[in-house]
Amino acid sequence: MSDTNQASITHFKQLATLVAWDEALGSHVYIENADLVMRGNTVIHAGKDYAGPADRVVAGNGLMAMPGLVNVHSHPSSEPGNRGLLEELGSDKLGQSSLYEYMPVFRTGIETAQYSNQVAMAEMLLSGVTTFVDMSLPRPGWADVVAAAGIRGVLGPMFRSAAWRTNDGHSVEYTWDEAAAQKSFEAALAVADSAINHPSGRLGAMLCPSQVDTCSPELLKAAQAAARRLGIPMQIHAAQSVVEFSEMTRRHGRTPIEWLDDQGLLDGDLIIGHGIFLNDHRALYWPHADDFGLLQRSGAHVAHCPTVFVRRGIALSFLGRYLRAGINVGIGTDTFPHNMLDEMRLACYVARLQAGHFRAASTEEVFNAATINGARMLGRDDIGRIAVGGKADFSLVDLSHPYMRPGREPLRSLIYSAGDRAIRDVYVDGAQVVKDGKLLTIDIERAMQEVERAQAQTIATVAQRDYAGRDIDAMSPRVFPSRA
Ligand SMILES: Nc1nc2[nH]c(O)nc2c(=O)[nH]1
């Protein structure tokens, strides 16, 4: 969408509440009975009493406008196919994680990736996400699929030097193949190029060496050089499992965070996916390190995705500790459902449980994490906030929804009670993508049918991939047995 003075002006008039950015305060603020005005894809007024021209006026009574949420970590091309299979699975003998025994075995294939991507983006848009980081394997056409959804996407093509596998359920083997890594790195660079130069103007890129324990120093160095050349950030999974921590300390005598620092990677251009298993985590014993201090001093960011870990009894300890030490933490969904409001609620509750204290993460901190912190790690100050000159990426929340009432504190009501049920309309880059709770841009039914087909295929063939040859009912029993 063009951003010229000729672009049409839309005036959201007399919004009951506007969550606007106050630059002087360095904070979001509530403004009651406010006007929000966009010209094309840009906000030109966010406050009281707009008196300028407008091509279209939208009544704002009963509505709250809030900034679009920024989802900093997701795997949309594969996660929707895991619904109903993976929620209660982890490996007893691999630190409760599902990464090694289950994820590689259940994964739906690349031929379903675009449909899976669409299902996930639908979930995001309907829960108020306007920007997301999409960490997937490189594939042709990826950028066009994301752009067509109307969302703002940061494509994060993943590549690695080694694949992992368990052959016994209690140890993990890494198969190294640098030639294959080089090929997928080149494919990743092509994806980054297609995103950065995409005509939609809504796409960007980051480079994602997949995991700290699967990438060689050479691959990481090449990735860092390319990211610097392109002026884009990197994200890597690190400190995400006990297995990974043990593997890195076994290989190098260094924690995953220390090792990243040794490679010269730990800086303000790196996002750590998860950052849970620092040396002081209660599941580890490695007292002679200071991962937290290293993170704090480095300026590296953390993508915090509570759901996928809490399902397995694992949690970051704890969100408020990281934030109050100045570590920039954003929120990601990682798994299904891609519902940021659910994720934000869980982020609040889990931090409080981990700390044993109700002040361990405030609503303000979590809302900031899901907006401006996420924007900051993407190097942007024009999203994650509603401010003049910024992008017109925002949601309109229905304050008349029963879960939003009584209406004293709309963001608390949204996060703790209503969730996505109260998201009425969503705009990205000035264009409406959700109207009256319905998505305008994706054929969800078609995409869902393809994901269902792919999951059925995965289920039928799971025994061929499982190290013990188990069928689906042995690997992932249903909640109740079926009776004839
Ligand atoms: N939590 C994680 N999810 C993942 N998906 C994927 O493809 N890789 C990972 C991972 O390393 N961690």
Side-chain angles (χ1 to χ4, degrees):
M1 174 168 298
S2 86
D3 182 22
T4 66
N5 287 336
Q6 280 78 48
S8 78
I9 296 176
T10 306
H11 177 184
F12 298 86
K13 194 179 167 82
Q14 284 285 299
L15 290 155
T17 304
L18 171 66
V19 183
W21 181 252
D22 185 318
E23 188 62 38
L25 278 179
S27 172
H28 298 292
V29 290
Y30 286 136
I31 307 177
E32 262 90 44
N33 303 318
D35 293 338
L36 172 61
V37 186
M38 60 186 187
R39 181 194 292 129
N41 66 356
T42 305
V43 172
I44 59 167
H45 179 95
K48 295 277 192 190
D49 303 329
Y50 177 71
D55 300 292
R56 185 173 157 241
V57 177
V58 179
N61 54 308
L63 295 173
M64 170 174 74
M66 68 168 204
L69 303 173
V70 180
N71 178 355
V72 295
H73 185 111
S74 70
H75 302 290
S77 308
S78 54
E79 280 296 329
N82 290 328
R83 201 186 326 263
L85 298 179
L86 259 179
E87 292 89 338
E88 298 185 82
L89 292 184
S91 303
D92 285 330
K93 297 177 180 174
L94 293 170
Q96 316 300 316
S97 177
S98 61
L99 288 172
Y100 312 100
E101 189 173 348
Y102 297 101
M103 195 182 75
V105 168
F106 285 167
R107 207 175 196 108
T108 49
I110 199 111
E111 61 290 347
T112 319
Q114 74 174 88
Y115 301 107
S116 183
N117 216 157
Q118 288 179 316
V119 168
M121 291 188 293
E123 292 172 355
M124 291 187 218
L125 286 165
L126 290 166
S127 67
V129 172
T130 56
T131 298
F132 81 117
V133 175
D134 179 339
M135 301 168 73
S136 300
L137 295 176
R139 65 175 196 274
W142 179 6
D144 290 335
V145 168
V146 173
I151 200 166
R152 199 178 291 287
V154 178
L155 304 197
M158 291 170 55
F159 48 90
R160 62 185 184 176
S161 316
W164 61 39
R165 174 177 172 81
T166 180
N167 290 317
D168 53 17
H170 60 82
S171 64
V172 175
E173 288 177 16
Y174 295 78
T175 308
W176 297 83
D177 184 343
E178 289 298 347
Q182 186 57 33
K183 271 180 81 175
S184 59
F185 177 50
E186 280 159 22
L189 292 179
V191 165
D193 184 61
S194 74
I196 292 165
N197 296 306
H198 198 272
S200 67
R202 272 183 284 103
L203 304 188
M206 68 171 55
L207 293 182
C208 296
S210 300
Q211 297 99 6
V212 67
D213 48 336
T214 60
C215 291
S216 67
E218 295 72 28
L219 185 65
L220 291 177
K221 284 204 170 58
Q224 186 183 45
R228 284 186 176 158
R229 194 173 66 245
L230 294 167
I232 58 178
M234 295 211 295
Q235 182 161 182
I236 188 166
H237 292 96
Q240 67 164 339
S241 77
V242 174
V243 166
E244 172 219 288
F245 188 93
S246 306
E247 177 68 18
M248 295 304 282
T249 51
R250 184 193 66 78
R251 277 187 210 160
H252 309 290
R254 306 287 280 163
T255 71
I257 298 296
E258 286 176 330
W259 190 78
L260 283 174
D261 191 44
D262 296 344
Q263 307 312 309
L265 256 78
L266 203 63
D267 62 21
D269 295 325
L270 185 70
I271 303 167
I272 307 284
H274 310 312
I276 294 170
F277 289 100
L278 308 185
N279 70 290
D280 61 4
H281 191 278
R282 68 168 190 237
L284 306 169
Y285 186 68
W286 197 264
H288 39 277
D290 179 21
D291 285 348
F292 191 78
L294 209 47
L295 258 189
Q296 187 182 13
R297 291 187 293 278
S298 68
H301 314 267
V302 171
H304 176 42
C305 313
T307 297
V308 73
F309 290 96
V310 169
R311 281 178 181 160
R312 297 166 179 96
I314 298 167
L316 182 112
S317 181
F318 57 88
L319 179 59
R321 176 170 81 118
Y322 284 54
L323 290 172
R324 290 162 206 175
I327 298 169
N328 186 45
V329 183
I331 306 289
T333 51
D334 191 304
T335 184
F336 63 89
H338 301 79
N339 186 324
M340 273 289 275
L341 291 164
D342 279 1
E343 207 70 41
M344 290 159 72
R345 180 168 58 242
L346 194 63
C348 290
Y349 289 159
V350 168
R352 295 172 199 178
L353 199 59
Q354 284 292 94
H357 201 286
F358 68 94
R359 289 206 182 86
S362 68
T363 310
E364 178 185 359
E365 285 173 317
V366 168
F367 191 76
N368 285 342
T371 53
I372 47 168
N373 296 9
R376 185 174 144 207
M377 62 183 77
L378 302 181
R380 307 213 33 172
D381 61 7
D382 59 345
I383 59 172
R385 65 186 72 184
I386 296 180
V388 171
K391 296 293 185 212
D393 290 8
F394 59 90
S395 298
L396 297 179
V397 178
D398 176 8
L399 297 175
S400 72
H401 191 285
Y403 282 177
M404 293 298 294
R405 297 163 70 182
R408 170 159 189 276
E409 223 315 322
L411 282 179
R412 283 199 196 114
S413 297
L414 182 70
I415 292 168
Y416 299 111
S417 293
D420 57 317
R421 287 172 284 225
I423 301 284
R424 199 189 81 169
D425 300 331
V426 180
Y427 291 78
V428 182
D429 217 32
Q432 187 163 16
V433 287
V434 174
K435 185 167 189 266
D436 294 327
K438 299 273 179 298
L439 192 59
L440 302 177
T441 53
I442 294 173
D443 182 347
I444 304 176
E445 183 51 36
R446 165 85 212 285
M448 192 54 90
Q449 283 175 15
E450 295 293 339
V451 172
E452 284 169 344
R453 211 186 320 276
Q455 192 193 68
Q457 174 73 8
T458 298
I459 285 173
T461 57
V462 77
Q464 297 164 19
R465 291 179 300 278
D466 177 48
Y467 76 90
R470 292 168 292 181
D471 69 11
I472 194 66
D473 290 329
M475 289 196 84
S476 179
R478 298 177 73 200
V479 176
F480 296 114
S482 305
R483 217 174 75 170

